[in-house]
Amino acid sequence: MLEPMRHFLDKTTIILASASPRRKEILQNLGLTFVVKPSTVDENLEKSKYVGRPFDYTVDTAALKADDVFKTVIKDHESDNLVVIGCDTIVTHGGTIYEKPKDVGDAARILNILSGNSHIVYSGVKLIYKEKGGVKREETFYEATEVEFAELSEEVINGYIATGEPMDKAGGYGIQGRGGSLVRGIKGDYFNVMGFPAHTFSLKLTECLKLMNNSTQTS
Amino acid sequence: MLEPMRHFLDKTTIILASASPRRKEILQNLGLTFVVKPSTVDENLEKSKYVGRPFDYTVDTAALKADDVFKTVIKDHESDNLVVIGCDTIVTHGGTIYEKPKDVGDAARILNILSGNSHIVYSGVKLIYKEKGGVKREETFYEATEVEFAELSEEVINGYIATGEPMDKAGGYGIQGRGGSLVRGIKGDYFNVMGFPAHTFSLKLTECLKLMNNSTQTS
C-alpha cells in the first residue's frame, strides 16, 4: 500500500516510540525504514477514568509515548521530514482493560477469563509530524479487532504459560506465536491484535506524507 | 494448545508434505518439530469438477500431496508414530478459484478483481497417520476465512507487484508481508489465509495423537 509513497519515504525519518519487537516486525513487513526509540515516560493513566471508552485509554497512552519521544528527538532533527509513531495495545472483556500480566498467576486468571469467549483488542496510535514549513501536526486514531478464543482446559492454559510467551503481552497471549492456536478466529485487522494496525496506519501515513510534501498525488 | 501433548509429540515423527515457507513457519510457531518433505505429484485436478465446492478442491489437492509423501516415507518409517500432513490453499471470488498468478499480468488481473471486495480463502488439510498397532488412518478437513480488501489504485497494485511478493502466493498476495496492508480485515483464522489453519489443525492433531497412543487424556 505504501509503495507509491517510496520517493517521499526515502527522505523521511520515521521514529517508532516503542520497544515492542512485534511492532518493529510489522513496520518492517510494510517495507519501512525507521529508527526504534522507546519512550521513557510512565504509562500510568488512571483506567477508572476510561470506563466505557477503553479505546481512548490506548490513544492517550500512545500520545504519552509519542509526545515524550518527539520532545527528545526534535532537538536533533532540524529537518521537516520527521514522523514519530506512538502506539498502545490493550485487551478488553466485560468492561475490564487487560494489559501485560503481573505474574504467572495473573496470566492464568486472564486466560481463564478469555477462554471460550470473545474479547476486543484495541490499538491506539498517535503520529506526530512536521508539515512542510515546520508546522507541527498530530494525528490520532484507534483500531478494534474482535478475537474469539477456544475453550481452554486447565492443562492447555498451564502448558501455554509454561512456554513463557504470555508474560510480556497484553491479555497474556501472543497471537503470532503459540497463542495463535488458542484463537478460533478474529474479526478485523490481525496485525492490530499483534500490536499495530497495519492497514489503517498505512492509509494515515500516506495522508501525512502528502501533507508533509504538499502533494496532491491521488494514490 | 499442543503443550499438554508434549510427551506424545516427543516420540512422533511429523512430516510436512509442503515446500511452503509460510506453512513451515506456522508449524514452528506451534512449537512442533517436523521434517519438510514436499510432494512431487502433479497438482492437476480439474477445477471445473469443483464448481460450488471449492473447499473440496483444496481437500483433494491436499490429499494428493499427503498420499504421495506417505507412500514414499512409509518405506523408511517402520514406527507407528508417524503423521504426514498435506495442505492446499486457494482464494475464491465470484465462483472462480485463484491459485498462484501465472505472470505479472495475471497478478494485476487478480488483484484488480480482489480490490474493494471480500473473498474467501480455503485451506484443505489431510493428515495420514498410523494408529497404535499399525492401522493406517486418514483425516481431512478444511477451513474458510473471509478477507476484505481495501480499494486499491492502479499505482498501489503496480507498486505491490513490483515488490515480487505476489508471484508465489494464492490470489497474488501475502497477508503476512507487504500484502497485509492491503487487507482491511478478516473474519476467521488468520493463519488459514497465510496458508495453514493453525487452530483447527491443533485440535485435529490432538485427536490423532490420542488415537495413536490409545489415550483418554481429556485436554
Side-chain angles (χ1 to χ4, degrees):
Chain A
M1 180 129 272
L2 290 167
E3 285 76 19
M5 294 290 121
R6 180 58 49 202
H7 53 301
F8 292 152
L9 286 168
D10 284 346
K11 56 175 180 171
T12 304
T13 302
I14 296 177
I15 295 175
L16 176 62
S18 167
S20 156
R22 273 85 62 191
R23 292 196 183 114
K24 191 178 163 189
E25 188 186 330
I26 294 167
L27 285 188
Q28 282 169 338
N29 278 349
L30 292 176
L32 294 177
T33 304
F34 57 95
V35 179
V36 174
K37 193 165 171 51
S39 88
T40 53
V41 79
D42 274 350
E43 299 170 26
N44 56 1
L45 297 177
E46 183 49 50
K47 288 194 189 70
S48 62
K49 292 186 181 160
Y50 292 90
V51 172
R53 47 187 196 97
F55 34 85
D56 285 339
Y57 177 86
T58 66
V59 168
D60 288 354
T61 304
L64 279 182
K65 300 182 195 179
D67 292 346
D68 177 55
V69 170
F70 186 82
K71 212 166 47 190
T72 313
V73 297
I74 198 62
K75 295 171 200 153
D76 308 323
H77 289 271
E78 294 304 319
S79 152
D80 291 346
N81 300 307
L82 177 69
V83 181
V84 173
I85 306 165
C87 185
D88 185 61
T89 301
I90 58 164
V91 161
T92 61
H93 178 71
T96 303
I97 291 176
Y98 298 100
E99 297 182 281
K100 293 169 188 170
K102 285 182 203 62
D103 51 37
V104 165
D106 196 34
R109 187 183 65 83
I110 297 172
L111 289 168
N112 268 301
I113 289 166
L114 302 184
S115 168
N117 285 311
S118 287
H119 63 265
I120 310 282
V121 177
Y122 292 102
S123 293
V125 177
K126 179 167 183 175
L127 304 178
I128 309 179
Y129 58 103
K130 285 179 74 185
E131 214 180 328
K132 202 164 186 75
V135 180
K136 181 182 171 190
R137 295 184 63 118
E138 312 187 26
E139 171 99 31
T140 58
F141 60 94
Y142 68 87
E143 180 88 19
T145 305
E146 189 180 330
V147 179
E148 188 192 349
F149 254 50
E151 198 84 52
L152 310 178
S153 68
E154 240 10 70
E155 289 74 18
V156 165
I157 288 177
N158 292 337
Y160 179 54
I161 291 172
T163 66
E165 195 177 275
M167 299 317 294
D168 67 333
K169 297 180 183 73
Y173 72 96
I175 196 169
Q176 70 290 340
R178 296 202 190 179
S181 68
L182 312 177
V183 173
R184 207 173 266 154
I186 70 169
K187 281 186 204 159
D189 183 346
Y190 165 83
F191 297 101
N192 192 46
V193 184
M194 205 173 144
F196 197 74
H199 173 64
T200 307
F201 167 76
S202 298
L203 296 179
K204 299 286 184 186
L205 183 62
T206 299
E207 286 169 22
C208 289
L209 291 166
K210 287 182 192 171
L211 279 171
M212 287 167 76
N213 292 279
N214 233 337
S215 164
T216 54
Q217 193 175 323
T218 53
S219 70
Chain B
M1 183 128 270
L2 290 166
E3 285 77 20
M5 295 289 121
R6 180 58 48 203
H7 53 303
F8 292 152
L9 285 168
D10 285 345
K11 57 176 181 170
T12 305
T13 302
I14 295 177
I15 295 175
L16 175 62
S18 167
S20 156
R22 273 84 61 191
R23 293 197 182 112
K24 190 177 163 191
E25 189 186 329
I26 294 167
L27 286 188
Q28 282 169 339
N29 278 349
L30 293 176
L32 295 177
T33 303
F34 56 96
V35 179
V36 174
K37 194 167 168 51
S39 88
T40 53
V41 79
D42 274 349
E43 298 169 26
N44 56 1
L45 296 177
E46 183 49 51
K47 288 194 189 70
S48 62
K49 291 185 180 161
Y50 291 90
V51 173
R53 46 186 196 99
F55 35 83
D56 285 339
Y57 177 85
T58 66
V59 168
D60 288 354
T61 304
L64 279 181
K65 300 181 194 178
D67 293 345
D68 178 56
V69 170
F70 186 83
K71 213 166 48 191
T72 313
V73 297
I74 198 64
K75 294 171 198 151
D76 308 324
H77 290 271
E78 293 304 319
S79 151
D80 290 346
N81 299 308
L82 178 70
V83 180
V84 173
I85 306 165
C87 184
D88 184 61
T89 300
I90 59 164
V91 161
T92 62
H93 178 72
T96 303
I97 292 177
Y98 298 100
E99 297 181 282
K100 293 169 189 169
K102 286 182 202 63
D103 51 38
V104 164
D106 197 34
R109 187 184 64 84
I110 296 171
L111 289 168
N112 267 301
I113 289 165
L114 302 184
S115 168
N117 285 310
S118 287
H119 62 266
I120 310 283
V121 177
Y122 290 102
S123 293
V125 177
K126 180 167 182 174
L127 304 179
I128 309 179
Y129 58 104
K130 284 179 75 184
E131 213 180 327
K132 201 166 186 73
V135 181
K136 181 183 172 191
R137 295 184 61 120
E138 312 186 26
E139 172 97 33
T140 58
F141 59 94
Y142 69 87
E143 181 86 19
T145 305
E146 189 179 328
V147 180
E148 187 192 349
F149 254 49
E151 198 84 52
L152 309 178
S153 67
E154 237 15 68
E155 289 74 19
V156 165
I157 289 177
N158 293 337
Y160 180 54
I161 291 173
T163 66
E165 194 177 275
M167 298 317 293
D168 66 334
K169 296 179 184 74
Y173 72 97
I175 196 169
Q176 71 289 341
R178 295 203 191 179
S181 69
L182 312 177
V183 173
R184 208 172 268 156
I186 69 169
K187 280 187 204 158
D189 184 345
Y190 166 83
F191 297 100
N192 193 45
V193 183
M194 205 173 142
F196 196 73
H199 172 65
T200 307
F201 167 77
S202 298
L203 296 178
K204 298 288 185 186
L205 183 63
T206 299
E207 286 169 22
C208 289
L209 290 166
K210 287 181 190 171
L211 279 171
M212 286 167 76
N213 292 279
N214 233 337
S215 164
T216 54
Q217 192 175 325
T218 53
S219 70

